[in-house]
Amino acid sequence: MRHTVPCSEALERIEAWAARYELVFRHERHSGFGAVFSPCGAYRYLLWRLPSPRAAVFGMGMLNPSKADERADDPTSARCRRIAAQAGHANLLVWNLFAFRATAPADLKRAAEPIGQHNDAA
């Protein structure tokens, strides 16, 4: 069974969750780009691209966060957006098994806490 939630409600839920844990919620309304970060910025818990507020959202689980943020894509997030578009979705929500921001999975081994305190909740 599919469960759909309007983008505006999803953003409200994400923002409330981030506030509850004192995380950094950033959302650029004009682009629909956004993300939730740890206060120190070393962890990214969620990333979204919601340019079509009335459309469904394509969810994608990844290994570790890239350097993409609420303002700009990096090569990985751009590739994820292309995959979502090929599946017929303009909107994308990305979560990761590990929240530590790293460009290479090998960097996770060097992190003291690669999962991140709030990643399971995300």
Side-chain angles (χ1 to χ4, degrees), residues 58-64 80 92-97:
F58 186 85
M60 185 176 289
M62 306 282 286
L63 181 65
N64 60 291
C80 292
L92 174 68
L93 175 65
V94 175
W95 66 92
N96 296 358
L97 293 175

Side-chain angles (χ1 to χ4, degrees), residues 1-102:
M1 176 193 292
R2 274 193 166 164
H3 178 72
T4 59
V5 174
C7 286
S8 60
E9 184 179 336
L11 282 175
E12 288 172 9
R13 289 181 185 186
I14 293 168
E15 187 172 18
W17 170 79
R20 182 171 46 249
Y21 293 106
E22 298 180 350
L23 300 172
V24 179
F25 173 90
R26 296 183 184 150
H27 180 70
E28 299 286 323
R29 293 199 184 277
H30 67 280
S31 67
F33 284 23
V36 174
F37 299 95
S38 62
C40 67
Y43 298 89
R44 188 186 75 207
Y45 294 108
L46 295 170
L47 177 79
W48 59 87
R49 303 298 188 239
L50 306 172
S52 299
R54 300 193 195 300
V57 177
F58 186 85
M60 185 176 289
M62 306 282 286
L63 181 65
N64 60 291
S66 59
K67 297 298 181 180
D69 61 17
E70 77 282 1
R71 291 187 206 114
D73 283 331
D74 64 2
T76 301
S77 61
R79 188 168 47 252
C80 292
R81 289 180 68 198
R82 285 192 299 275
I83 292 168
Q86 289 170 351
H89 296 278
N91 294 327
L92 174 68
L93 175 65
V94 175
W95 66 92
N96 296 358
L97 293 175
F98 300 94
F100 183 72
R101 295 178 78 190

